[in-house]
Amino acid sequence: MRVGRILLLDGAITEDQLKEALKRQREEGGRLGANLIELGYVTEEQLIKALEKNLNVKGVVLSDYPLDDEVLNLISPDIAGAYECVPVEKKGKTLYLAMINPNDLQAQEDIRFRTGYEIKPLVASEKSIRKILKEHYETKAIEDEVAEEMGLAEDSVELLAKDEEEEGEGVSALAAQIDSGPVVQYVNFLLKKVVIERASDLHIEPFEKDIRVRMRVDGVLHNFQPPPWRLHKAVVSRLKVMSNLKIQEKRRPQDGRFQAELMGRKIDFRIATVPTVFGEKVGIRVLDKESMEFDLTKLGFEQKALDDTLKAIKKPHGIILLTGPTGSGKTTTLYSILKEINNIDINVSTAEDPVEYTLFGVNQLQVREEIGLTFVEALKSFLRQDPDVIMVGEIRDKPTTDIAIRSSLTGHLVLSTVHTNSAAATVTRLINMGVAPFLLASTLELIISQRLIKTICTKCKAPLEISNEEILKLGFDPARLNGRKIFHGRGCESCRKTGYKGRLGLFEVLPMSSNIRKMIIDGRTSDEVEEQARKEGMSSLRDEGIKKIIDGLTTLEEVARETQVR
């Protein structure tokens, strides 16, 4: 019986879903099972059960299987790719081989001859096997070519590990090699993978006899297949050459950036190197300009918070502050505000460290403290340029705060960020910096506190059965959920088994009312200011998170992790 019919009889899919998958298969190719998974109609587990019945062979879900590099390397990349198979386990003289077509006896005989192991075939999904082929074997093939063509054999590791004083002209020779050799292929492959996975950061970390490569996707770090330890210096040097950094400088941190065109898109990469005990660690921030959409209406604002924000940014003068931890999306929100107010009759200038994205019509300045171009100096210069709107990357000291206050008092709209835990706590923080309460009350217009939460993967989203006791343990009042269904992600290939895909903002928006301005002048505490703001309609970050849970966008655990009850 065919796989589609088995899934139909098992109740896993409907007739309409089967017809749509068959239509997709005719148009785009591939196996029916892979198309059913892509459409989100079946899980890999359901497909494997159907394949077991269809082929009478035991199945394996590769995404749940702990694969070992030693076992994977028993067959070469070209053989694994040719037969579309992955060795998953060896027991004695038997090698268990996951295959798309476990009835391919020629493939089994060829691999038995090459490895010396008896072959036990298992059936696996086409998508999961091709994922392993790409992540492991494609990387390994490039690594082997790099090692062979660059001559980085084991006996050359000692040479590469010498101090720069001993290397002499070897540095320029290495630069010439990595600029034209296959190391370029490996680095390009790594950068392309980062873009495909929508990663925000890439980390290359050396240890005594190993390298760890990790990508941050939706705020969470995931391991990626690392190159051999002996290639670490070549890979780092290639990235330095691309960023115009000094490849011979290994004892001091360096910062740089480069732009690359990948899959028809221009991507900016911001690179930072740091010397560690075992070599240079590289951190790369990925800035995909074309995937960024600076639109206030699509960041996650609830309607009242959005209305308060739009009202404040249309005022001719005042200070608007954003607060939140590193990586909470403050820069994206600031750029979205700038895009909203930027037009032909407004002069907008920004001082940033660093400039992450360029906006047409906005005069952006890169702060360079090593030459004395600080936020304070930039602000002073801006005031002589007839600005209407000034954005300063961060308020971190009293001089910057003083000029921001003065700019606001002289008729400018000032946007900036500050590091505090809540909107109300920002008032206390600025007063502690030395700002007079009456000046703060007269210039401050709006404070936005924000966090980023992961959203549930739409392909494996499912209702969650949870008791009131468990809800209470997570710090939520079951009554506030109004008896609504709560969802979670089961975990699938699309979301790397995490149950989450994508992120959304939570926003606590505090507009300045006459009552709150009076409380600031009177020196009231941040708790009192927050209480008054909530009476006037402000929603806390926890309140906003509960709305997202009720809307089925995120989970209880995610909101509990990013917010707190105050």
Side-chain angles (χ1 to χ4, degrees), residues 513-547:
S513 66
S514 56
N515 286 330
I516 291 176
R517 292 186 197 278
K518 187 175 185 304
M519 293 177 76
I520 292 173
I521 294 171
D522 292 342
R524 299 293 187 87
T525 66
S526 60
D527 288 341
E528 291 174 310
V529 170
E530 181 171 325
E531 184 180 353
Q532 178 61 33
R534 296 190 69 172
K535 286 179 182 177
E536 295 178 5
M538 182 191 81
S539 292
S540 68
L541 290 169
R542 175 58 66 98
D543 295 335
E544 295 290 294
I546 290 173
K547 291 176 186 175

Side-chain angles (χ1 to χ4, degrees), residues 316-329:
H317 55 80
I319 298 177
I320 295 173
L321 295 176
L322 275 76
T323 182
T326 301
S328 61

Side-chain angles (χ1 to χ4, degrees), residues 352-369:
E352 305 171 58
D353 185 20
V355 175
E356 294 194 358
Y357 299 94
T358 55
L359 296 174
F360 178 78
V362 176
N363 304 291
Q364 295 173 268
L365 180 149
Q366 168 73 55
V367 169
R368 297 179 62 189
E369 294 194 357

Side-chain angles (χ1 to χ4, degrees), residues 161-223:
K162 289 181 180 179
D163 289 336
E164 50 270 19
E165 289 88 348
E166 298 177 30
E167 289 178 356
E169 295 180 1
V171 170
S172 58
L174 177 61
Q177 282 183 309
I178 63 176
D179 197 37
S180 59
V183 164
V184 174
Q185 296 177 36
Y186 176 77
V187 171
N188 288 350
F189 171 73
L190 190 60
L191 297 178
K192 182 178 178 181
K193 185 70 176 176
V194 167
V195 175
I196 290 172
E197 296 290 342
R198 301 176 301 105
S200 60
D201 298 89
L202 171 68
H203 298 274
I204 302 173
E205 304 161 303
F207 296 95
E208 187 173 7
K209 294 181 179 178
D210 203 0
I211 300 173
R212 184 167 66 181
V213 177
R214 296 188 293 172
M215 296 181 292
R216 189 178 295 279
V217 181
D218 293 335
V220 178
L221 286 169
H222 298 272
N223 279 327

